[in-house]
Amino acid sequence: MEVDALSGDAEQVTRIAVMDADRLSECLEVTPLWRAFAQAAHLLAPSAERRPRVQSILDRWRTGQRVRLLGPENAQDVVDADHVLTYLEAHRGDDQIMRRVSAQLFSDSKRIETIWPVLDFLTGEQSPVPRQKADVLAEIGLLAHPQPLLVCGRGIFRLTTGESIAIPKPYIGLPPECIRAFEPPADLPWVLSVENLTTFHEIAREAGGEVLGLVLYTAGMPSPAWRRSYKTAISSLPSQCRLLHWGDIDDGGYRIALTIAEQGRAAGLQLQQWKMDWSDQQATGRELTPEQRGRIARSLEALHWNLGSTSGPTTRIEQEALVIELPKR
């Protein structure tokens, strides 16, 4: 301990040298960062071998950074997130009921809902700003309850039971696991995926005119079972049929479009936008942050969509705020 020589009898302390940092932490009843990191690194070693992004978390913690507001003291959250992803990988392509999986893995039906920020980091962009909770969980296949595939328009679905169902008006909901094939009419002009339920129902009731093509409701971010059904539906389209998507004009909307476009590419088809060019629409929502605009730019680049101005949209435009309009033949 050093005392200020000019402080006289007050003996003001100017510097204290710590001889035993561990003893000091015990006296203060705190866990020092180096010890917390060592414990986290040991706990996460198996997960880091399987997942490079777990190692990325450790690298950030080593330098004192936090990930999704989490630090080394939250290492068990990362372990549990790894367990969730390992389970989903063993059931790839199937939707899972989130709370049932959570109860099976952790004896806590709500555990997964508390660790979704880690699941976001491990499965999305390594960005400081998280995605929406519902989008993260749906994308990896965790749903609150089973979702039917809602469709309207023209065509026949062949089911695994051997039945064939022509799409009735105004729409029909089918369990994704029961869909074996889709038989489109020879003159089907387009297939349109729609992000929001309100818009889907308005289309199904012909608010935008007769539905000449096929419309599928994505339920927000498409789940693995939805993506599988979508690939089945577009695998036998006539050559002139266009693949379209209509969603919100924001970072989530374009990310959903990118997820759907990946399914189209697997079938040799290019997804096109429908009413998602912000330069054609009137701004209606909140301002987009620089981070959100950056995400939009990256999605548009991957989509190969050349829309609007080079600076991108500055304001969110929700699909429900737009006039219902369908493509012509």
Side-chain angles (χ1 to χ4, degrees), residues 152 170-171 200-209 211:
C152 69
Y171 65 90
F200 172 82
H201 279 296
E202 290 179 306
I203 290 173
R205 298 186 184 279
E206 300 188 337
V211 182

mmCIF file of all heavy atoms in Angstrom, residues 152 170-171 200-209 211:
data_model
loop_
_atom_site.group_PDB
_atom_site.id
_atom_site.type_symbol
_atom_site.label_atom_id
_atom_site.label_comp_id
_atom_site.label_asym_id
_atom_site.label_seq_id
_atom_site.Cartn_x
_atom_site.Cartn_y
_atom_site.Cartn_z
ATOM 1 N N CYS A 152 -54.484 -21.853 -50.591
ATOM 2 C CA CYS A 152 -55.670 -21.537 -51.378
ATOM 3 C C CYS A 152 -55.262 -21.444 -52.836
ATOM 4 O O CYS A 152 -54.071 -21.334 -53.152
ATOM 5 C CB CYS A 152 -56.333 -20.239 -50.906
ATOM 6 S SG CYS A 152 -55.399 -18.731 -51.222
ATOM 7 N N PRO A 170 -62.799 -21.370 -49.346
ATOM 8 C CA PRO A 170 -61.768 -20.392 -49.678
ATOM 9 C C PRO A 170 -60.337 -20.920 -49.508
ATOM 10 O O PRO A 170 -59.428 -20.398 -50.136
ATOM 11 C CB PRO A 170 -62.047 -19.251 -48.699
ATOM 12 C CG PRO A 170 -62.630 -19.951 -47.495
ATOM 13 C CD PRO A 170 -63.456 -21.078 -48.050
ATOM 14 N N TYR A 171 -60.130 -21.914 -48.645
ATOM 15 C CA TYR A 171 -58.778 -22.445 -48.443
ATOM 16 C C TYR A 171 -58.882 -23.782 -47.736
ATOM 17 O O TYR A 171 -59.962 -24.222 -47.322
ATOM 18 C CB TYR A 171 -57.921 -21.474 -47.623
ATOM 19 C CG TYR A 171 -58.390 -21.271 -46.202
ATOM 20 C CD1 TYR A 171 -57.938 -22.080 -45.163
ATOM 21 C CD2 TYR A 171 -59.303 -20.266 -45.883
ATOM 22 C CE1 TYR A 171 -58.387 -21.903 -43.854
ATOM 23 C CE2 TYR A 171 -59.751 -20.078 -44.586
ATOM 24 C CZ TYR A 171 -59.285 -20.898 -43.584
ATOM 25 O OH TYR A 171 -59.726 -20.724 -42.300
ATOM 26 N N PHE A 200 -53.212 -13.535 -45.956
ATOM 27 C CA PHE A 200 -53.603 -14.812 -46.557
ATOM 28 C C PHE A 200 -55.126 -14.956 -46.593
ATOM 29 O O PHE A 200 -55.707 -15.343 -47.609
ATOM 30 C CB PHE A 200 -52.980 -15.981 -45.796
ATOM 31 C CG PHE A 200 -53.496 -17.319 -46.255
ATOM 32 C CD1 PHE A 200 -52.970 -17.931 -47.384
ATOM 33 C CD2 PHE A 200 -54.532 -17.952 -45.577
ATOM 34 C CE1 PHE A 200 -53.471 -19.156 -47.838
ATOM 35 C CE2 PHE A 200 -55.033 -19.175 -46.024
ATOM 36 C CZ PHE A 200 -54.496 -19.781 -47.147
ATOM 37 N N HIS A 201 -55.789 -14.658 -45.478
ATOM 38 C CA HIS A 201 -57.247 -14.804 -45.423
ATOM 39 C C HIS A 201 -57.941 -13.849 -46.395
ATOM 40 O O HIS A 201 -58.945 -14.221 -47.025
ATOM 41 C CB HIS A 201 -57.754 -14.574 -44.000
ATOM 42 C CG HIS A 201 -57.612 -15.779 -43.115
ATOM 43 N ND1 HIS A 201 -58.291 -16.945 -43.354
ATOM 44 C CD2 HIS A 201 -56.866 -15.997 -42.004
ATOM 45 C CE1 HIS A 201 -57.969 -17.836 -42.426
ATOM 46 N NE2 HIS A 201 -57.114 -17.290 -41.592
ATOM 47 N N GLU A 202 -57.419 -12.652 -46.529
ATOM 48 C CA GLU A 202 -58.018 -11.713 -47.475
ATOM 49 C C GLU A 202 -57.858 -12.209 -48.910
ATOM 50 O O GLU A 202 -58.788 -12.109 -49.725
ATOM 51 C CB GLU A 202 -57.385 -10.338 -47.306
ATOM 52 C CG GLU A 202 -57.762 -9.655 -45.993
ATOM 53 C CD GLU A 202 -57.110 -8.306 -45.832
ATOM 54 O OE1 GLU A 202 -55.871 -8.231 -45.934
ATOM 55 O OE2 GLU A 202 -57.838 -7.324 -45.628
ATOM 56 N N ILE A 203 -56.685 -12.755 -49.216
ATOM 57 C CA ILE A 203 -56.462 -13.320 -50.551
ATOM 58 C C ILE A 203 -57.398 -14.495 -50.794
ATOM 59 O O ILE A 203 -58.021 -14.614 -51.860
ATOM 60 C CB ILE A 203 -54.996 -13.752 -50.710
ATOM 61 C CG1 ILE A 203 -54.079 -12.531 -50.785
ATOM 62 C CG2 ILE A 203 -54.818 -14.619 -51.957
ATOM 63 C CD1 ILE A 203 -52.601 -12.872 -50.782
ATOM 64 N N ALA A 204 -57.498 -15.386 -49.792
ATOM 65 C CA ALA A 204 -58.331 -16.582 -49.940
ATOM 66 C C ALA A 204 -59.785 -16.217 -50.196
ATOM 67 O O ALA A 204 -60.504 -16.952 -50.894
ATOM 68 C CB ALA A 204 -58.205 -17.461 -48.694
ATOM 69 N N ARG A 205 -60.236 -15.090 -49.652
ATOM 70 C CA ARG A 205 -61.617 -14.655 -49.856
ATOM 71 C C ARG A 205 -61.736 -13.686 -51.038
ATOM 72 O O ARG A 205 -62.703 -12.952 -51.169
ATOM 73 C CB ARG A 205 -62.165 -14.053 -48.567
ATOM 74 C CG ARG A 205 -62.178 -15.083 -47.437
ATOM 75 C CD ARG A 205 -62.833 -14.604 -46.170
ATOM 76 N NE ARG A 205 -62.712 -15.631 -45.128
ATOM 77 C CZ ARG A 205 -63.498 -16.693 -45.026
ATOM 78 N NH1 ARG A 205 -64.477 -16.876 -45.918
ATOM 79 N NH2 ARG A 205 -63.329 -17.582 -44.056
ATOM 80 N N GLU A 206 -60.665 -13.713 -51.862
ATOM 81 C CA GLU A 206 -60.644 -13.030 -53.158
ATOM 82 C C GLU A 206 -60.779 -11.519 -53.037
ATOM 83 O O GLU A 206 -61.398 -10.863 -53.880
ATOM 84 C CB GLU A 206 -61.711 -13.615 -54.095
ATOM 85 C CG GLU A 206 -61.497 -15.103 -54.347
ATOM 86 C CD GLU A 206 -62.405 -15.681 -55.422
ATOM 87 O OE1 GLU A 206 -63.475 -15.079 -55.675
ATOM 88 O OE2 GLU A 206 -62.038 -16.713 -55.998
ATOM 89 N N ALA A 207 -60.160 -10.954 -51.977
ATOM 90 C CA ALA A 207 -60.123 -9.498 -51.843
ATOM 91 C C ALA A 207 -59.315 -8.861 -52.971
ATOM 92 O O ALA A 207 -59.517 -7.688 -53.308
ATOM 93 C CB ALA A 207 -59.528 -9.103 -50.492
ATOM 94 N N GLY A 208 -58.389 -9.628 -53.540
ATOM 95 C CA GLY A 208 -57.580 -9.123 -54.650
ATOM 96 C C GLY A 208 -58.005 -9.695 -55.979
ATOM 97 O O GLY A 208 -57.265 -9.582 -56.962
ATOM 98 N N GLY A 209 -59.172 -10.304 -56.018
ATOM 99 C CA GLY A 209 -59.647 -10.918 -57.248
ATOM 100 C C GLY A 209 -59.479 -12.422 -57.209
ATOM 101 O O GLY A 209 -59.046 -13.010 -56.216
ATOM 102 N N VAL A 211 -58.149 -16.073 -57.438
ATOM 103 C CA VAL A 211 -56.815 -16.633 -57.198
ATOM 104 C C VAL A 211 -56.496 -17.602 -58.331
ATOM 105 O O VAL A 211 -56.971 -18.745 -58.346
ATOM 106 C CB VAL A 211 -56.752 -17.349 -55.828
ATOM 107 C CG1 VAL A 211 -55.340 -17.881 -55.588
ATOM 108 C CG2 VAL A 211 -57.155 -16.403 -54.703
#
